[in-house]
Amino acid sequence: MATILTPQATGKLVGKRVRRREDPRLITGTATYVDDIQKPGMHHACIVRSPYAAARIKGINAQAALALPGVAAVFTGKDVAALGPVPCGASLPGLRVPHHHILAQDRVYFTGHPVAVVVATDRYIARDAADLVEVDYEELPAVAAPEKALAPGAPAVHPEWPDNTAFTYHQEGGDVNKAFAEAEVIVKQRIISQRLIPTAMETRGVVAEWQPGDKALTVYSSSQIPHLLRSLLAGMLGLPENRLRVVVPEVGGGFGSKLNVYAEEALMGFVAMKIGKPVKWIESRRENFLCTIHGRGHVDYYEIAAKKDGTILGLKLKLIQDLGAYHQLLTPAIPTLSVLMMPGLYRFKNILADIVGVFTNCVPTDAYRGAGRPEATHGIERMVDMLAAELKMDPAEIRLKNFPQPDEFPFATATGLSYDSGDYEAPLRRALELVDYPRLRQEQAEARQQGRLMGIGLSTYGEVSAFGPSPATPAGGWESATVKIDPAGKVTVLTGASPHGQGEETTFAQIAADELGVDLEDVIVLHGDTAVVQYGIGTFGSRATAVGGPAVYYAIQKLKEKIQKFGALLLESAEVTFTNGNCVCNRNGKSVTLAQVAAASYRAMKLPPGEEPGLQVTYFWEPPNFTFPFGAHIAVTEVDRETGRVSILRYVAVDDCGNIINPLLVDGQVHGGVAQGMGQALYEQAVYDNNGQLLSGELTDYAIPKAGMMPWLETGHTITPSPVNPLGVKGVGEAGTIGASPALVNSVVDALSPLGVRHIDMPMLPEKIWQLLQQGGQA
Amino acid sequence: MKRLISVTINGKQRTDEVEPRLLLIHYLRDVVGLTGSHIGCETSLCGACTVELDGKAVKSCTMFAVQVDGCRLLTIEGLVSNGKYHPLQEAFWNEHGLQCGFCTPGMIVACKQLLERTPVPTEEEIRHGIEGNLCRCTGYQHIVNAVKAASAKMGI
């Protein structure tokens, strides 16, 4: 399987830099996000939240709030005790699952825990009234760091489980003891992947509307998973699923934070049914930081074993996962993804991993861009660099030595995965070429002579994407598509994926237009409304194009068969080919257009034997495997001795996401992904104090990258098609994030290595680096 | 105690009675019905609510509606003229300067100001000029490209 270095158009549209069809509504301010929805008689909700991380609720007095003109209702925990719980979709042996009520009952477990909801005619009145709700708390000791929570005598987050341990999980592959016994060198390191706040620019929001005559509820929510949300919400509210409609309007970013089912979604459904009026709740940024899931939250203890020639023999990991106070939809499953990706891109077959999932008095962690895989990649890529340093090997050389070769694919990993296809040297060699690596090392040597702290950092990352085969996922890993052609010959694609910025309204139209031989303008792609679209899974885990795309492709293949049959009737020929939007008789060359075929199929004067009228096919595609994108990033940095500030001199990202449907959009995904990885490496950190107060609770204190903090990103691609799906695509949404953080940390460690620095934990804030410099490199 | 304000928004004059505490962004979105400007933080940090007030880009989430009495406002909805996109809108589209689109209206208004002050900005000037507007999707690079493309087009 040859790796192609330049993206090439494989169709009229597929492979081309087509500008997005989503954009006209977005650049003109005419798109409809949740907060743009207005309903007659709509009320507004404001949620009263706990100011304490752990407390007993001794009483709630809502009289003053209820007396305020405009206030329609106040609901507290006892009103909703029978609803819910907020669901956890992950299952692990022995998992302890706290009952997660949609409003706190007699106790709160994290700062921001919802305690009551106030409903008023106006959003200002609702907020005023929320301040008037008196809650009598008895504060309890809290614990907000996972290793502290595991220490003897730590406050119990949930009194029923005093050890704060939600689960333990063990996995091993090969013979790790033998590998370590035979090792000539062993390197150990504790590595932190800090808690991060996803920070979609649009916070969460819900509008709920009850139609009493139909006993039907409509919930508009900013979500990545409309259908799963409908199924789970129906269960939480005790509604038959067919009387619940979920509409996901325009969504202002998710990054995993909206791959969830939240208390507020059920709460608004409850309120709408109770007051008989539509109700809107829009999360404030403060609430978003306090109450929407966080990501990462690892303390990892690694040991890597190798031979003196750099051959890696095995890897051990003890992973301490900060879960927060509850399990949200996938919380406990996320660290198991880290274990799956432990070996990275390397050939060694011996691993051992132990996870401890720890309750803390913090908001739950869950899937944030990469979800377990950035942590794993950061770990293996740091360990490989430390091993290279120990052996005085070049970091590129040690990686090249340990990659499986293209003819070894499908490659079975120590963690039970089967890597679909790969040529891991190709992106690394391309990236080294782009930076002119030998010259760059020369430059670095000269810089060091001048006393400058210049570093070069590599990461060669892999990821497991396109979730995924159903047996490996909590809720079905297929995706669906309906393709229908109306009587005038225009095409509508309904996808079960739920794009929210990724651009599938464009890429799926490219696929459909090429396959059907019609213009891009003749195709529209709809998604997100459970009353319009067949059941689907959603958009997350770099899956929309790699699982949703093939569903569109296969639906069209079935549709083409039908088109040919109707075409054959019209042409009165047994041998007809559908090509370039026309049915052509193979014998006499006569043809009919798709519009003529479509009209005939609905007019239905004659039907092909065994066929129904109309042109519409629904296809549910079950992928046979995950896909495994990969790539190589190189960061060139310089550390300012005076301030500890890190400057990024160059950043090169060469990604291999298989075939590329739209290179413009792929570049956008890589840029945005790298920005979030840089955010983790250099700036971002959710900070709780010892009492469980979130100190980084606003955008003033939580530093997502601004334009001036980002370097120019140089991107490149190699293309190794995936054999898993007919499009050969692998997915690219998370690649940049996964590749970036180790490249940057490796680079800064390399810059400081003359001082004896061998590891730095993220974020690499100037203060931390400055202190290292003051201490001569000794932490 | 409601107050009467008179404002010119996207070239059209209107008067409204508003609560003195009503934020400008809520006035625009909920009273006037111009929902193109968004609320991302309510603390003037993210810039999603950026609009033009008498020719200057401002964050409408930290101003009161009563403060714009007698003023001229321009929002993203006012950038399309005679059915034609503003060169910045066209450039954001061509260069893929947006993904989820939530920051985009405020970002485009901020970029308009930037180009009025610096018609041919360098990359550094562009990055500095949009520091007050956060985007979580694009990593800003395609926004930089879009501003350069719009600058080139507007210079013709």
Side-chain angles (χ1 to χ4, degrees), chain A residues 52 59 143 164 250 386 494 534:
Chain A
Y52 300 109
V143 62
N164 289 323
E250 206 76 59
M386 292 182 73
L494 310 176
Q534 72 290 341

Side-chain angles (χ1 to χ4, degrees), chain B residues 10 25 31 33 36 41 54-55 57 74 77 81 111 113 124 135 155:
Chain B
N10 300 333
I25 184 67
V31 178
C41 69
D54 288 339
L74 181 72
E77 289 92 342
S81 74
C111 291
Q113 169 111 83
E124 203 182 337
C135 169

Side-chain angles (χ1 to χ4, degrees), chain A residues 144-347:
Chain A
E147 287 192 299
K148 283 185 184 163
L150 288 176
V157 175
H158 297 279
E160 60 272 41
W161 301 308
D163 62 1
N164 289 323
T165 300
F167 67 93
T168 58
Y169 176 90
H170 176 83
Q171 187 172 339
E172 53 183 284
D175 188 343
V176 84
N177 290 330
K178 184 162 168 270
F180 274 72
E182 288 171 1
E184 291 164 349
V185 55
I186 292 172
V187 178
K188 302 180 184 184
Q189 183 61 45
R190 174 179 187 263
I191 297 176
I192 289 175
S193 281
Q194 77 275 28
R195 245 185 198 259
L196 298 178
I197 305 180
T199 322
M201 291 317 300
E202 183 207 28
T203 59
R204 290 187 294 123
V206 184
V207 172
E209 186 176 26
W210 174 243
Q211 292 103 345
D214 300 334
K215 293 194 181 74
L217 182 71
T218 302
V219 172
Y220 302 82
S221 186
S222 185
S223 176
Q224 299 174 224
I225 46 167
H227 284 93
L228 298 180
L229 175 59
R230 183 184 69 172
S231 296
L232 294 163
L233 209 49
M236 292 168 81
L237 292 168
L239 283 173
E241 193 169 336
N242 61 355
R243 290 181 192 270
L244 175 59
R245 174 184 175 194
V246 169
V247 183
V248 169
E250 206 76 59
V251 172
F255 315 114
S257 70
K258 296 169 183 174
L259 158 58
N260 228 305
V261 176
Y262 286 98
E264 293 88 350
E265 290 169 319
L267 194 55
M268 290 310 119
F270 163 80
V271 168
M273 289 191 278
K274 270 284 188 209
I275 67 169
K277 301 273 187 194
V279 63
K280 178 189 276 186
W281 168 75
I282 300 297
E283 188 183 52
S284 69
R285 179 57 63 189
R286 175 89 182 149
E287 286 179 293
N288 179 256
F289 278 16
L290 283 172
C291 310
T292 290
I293 62 104
H294 290 178
R296 320 284 189 258
H298 275 211
V299 182
D300 293 331
Y301 290 85
Y302 277 102
E303 291 181 48
I304 194 166
K307 288 201 240 171
K308 273 189 182 149
D309 68 357
T311 306
I312 303 168
L313 299 174
L315 188 68
K316 290 186 196 172
L317 167 64
K318 183 183 172 197
L319 190 171
I320 298 169
Q321 172 71 52
D322 177 358
L323 300 166
Y326 287 112
H327 304 310
Q328 278 282 345
L329 192 60
L330 300 169
T331 301
I334 305 302
T336 65
L337 291 177
S338 302
V339 171
L340 279 183
M341 284 312 295
M342 263 177 79
L345 295 186
Y346 308 110
R347 194 192 272 118

Side-chain angles (χ1 to χ4, degrees), chain A residues 19-20 27 29 33 35-36 123-124 127-128 198-199 285 668 671-672 676 684 705 707-708 710 712-713, chain B residues 21 23 26 29-30 36 40 42 85 89-90 93-94 96 99-102 127 131 136-138 140-141 145:
Chain A
R19 66 179 182 171
R20 293 200 315 175
I27 55 175
Y33 297 86
D35 197 15
D36 303 337
R123 64 172 104 209
Y124 285 62
R127 240 188 227 199
D128 285 345
T199 322
R285 179 57 63 189
H671 293 163
Q676 290 187 13
E684 297 178 31
M710 289 293 299
W712 186 258
L713 306 174
Chain B
R21 68 171 178 170
L23 294 172
H26 285 140
R29 292 176 48 80
D30 296 348
E42 297 179 307
Y85 295 148
Q89 291 172 309
E90 193 74 35
W93 189 10
N94 290 336
H96 189 32
Q99 290 177 29
C100 82
F102 196 77
R127 290 183 185 274
E131 283 264 297
R136 191 62 156 163
C137 294
T138 62
Y140 304 100
Q141 192 150 316
N145 289 347

Side-chain angles (χ1 to χ4, degrees), chain A residues 422-693:
Chain A
D423 183 350
Y424 297 157
E425 283 190 26
L428 177 56
R429 291 201 188 279
R430 179 75 186 129
L432 293 170
E433 203 176 286
L434 282 170
V435 297
D436 195 349
Y437 191 62
R439 226 193 76 197
L440 194 62
R441 284 288 178 201
Q442 179 76 33
E443 239 177 79
Q444 182 187 35
E446 287 160 18
R448 280 180 177 165
Q449 292 219 317
Q450 297 158 14
R452 287 166 54 206
L453 300 170
M454 179 182 161
I456 303 162
L458 269 62
S459 81
T460 46
Y461 74 91
E463 55 169 324
V464 46
S465 285
F467 290 83
S470 292
T473 55
W478 45 267
E479 195 48 272
S480 68
T482 295
V483 179
K484 49 187 181 182
I485 300 178
D486 62 36
K490 306 296 185 197
V491 182
T492 301
V493 176
L494 310 176
T495 173
S498 193
H500 45 280
Q502 296 84 353
E504 273 85 12
E505 287 177 39
T506 305
T507 49
F508 286 3
Q510 287 175 262
I511 295 169
D514 270 3
E515 286 298 318
L516 290 167
V518 300
D519 289 342
L520 195 66
E521 277 311 303
D522 290 338
V523 185
I524 62 163
V525 179
L526 302 177
H527 55 84
D529 182 343
T530 62
V532 173
V533 178
Q534 72 290 341
Y535 205 96
I537 301 297
T539 292
F540 53 89
S542 305
R543 74 186 302 279
T545 301
V547 191
V552 173
Y553 175 86
Y554 282 118
I556 293 173
Q557 303 317 309
K558 278 180 81 173
L559 197 56
K560 279 185 186 171
E561 290 170 22
K562 199 168 177 187
I563 291 167
Q564 292 201 148
K565 286 184 188 168
F566 273 103
L569 271 189
L570 288 179
L571 291 164
E572 295 175 335
S573 165
E575 285 171 55
V576 164
T577 309
F578 179 61
T579 174
N580 277 332
N582 293 300
C583 280
V584 184
C585 172
N586 294 349
R587 278 175 291 133
N588 59 21
K590 281 187 184 169
S591 71
V592 284
T593 64
L594 180 58
Q596 286 172 310
V597 173
S601 80
Y602 287 99
R603 183 63 187 87
M605 292 297 282
K606 272 172 85 181
L607 292 175
E611 284 293 346
E612 303 161 38
L615 289 181
Q616 175 166 338
V617 166
T618 297
Y619 198 95
F620 287 67
W621 187 62
E622 170 67 32
N625 190 2
F626 302 105
T627 61
F628 297 88
F630 55 93
H633 289 200
I634 298 181
V636 185
T637 60
E638 182 162 352
V639 174
D640 184 330
R641 279 185 187 271
E642 301 290 313
T643 62
R645 188 166 169 266
V646 175
S647 302
I648 302 167
L649 307 180
R650 274 188 87 175
Y651 196 94
V652 170
V654 180
D655 295 278
D656 192 323
C657 57
N659 286 341
I660 291 178
I661 292 173
N662 188 329
L664 183 64
L665 273 55
V666 164
D667 278 348
Q669 288 296 316
V670 171
H671 293 163
V674 168
Q676 290 187 13
M678 281 189 180
Q680 172 162 25
L682 290 166
Y683 309 114
E684 297 178 31
Q685 184 173 24
V687 183
Y688 281 96
D689 74 7
N690 288 336
N691 298 316
Q693 290 297 322

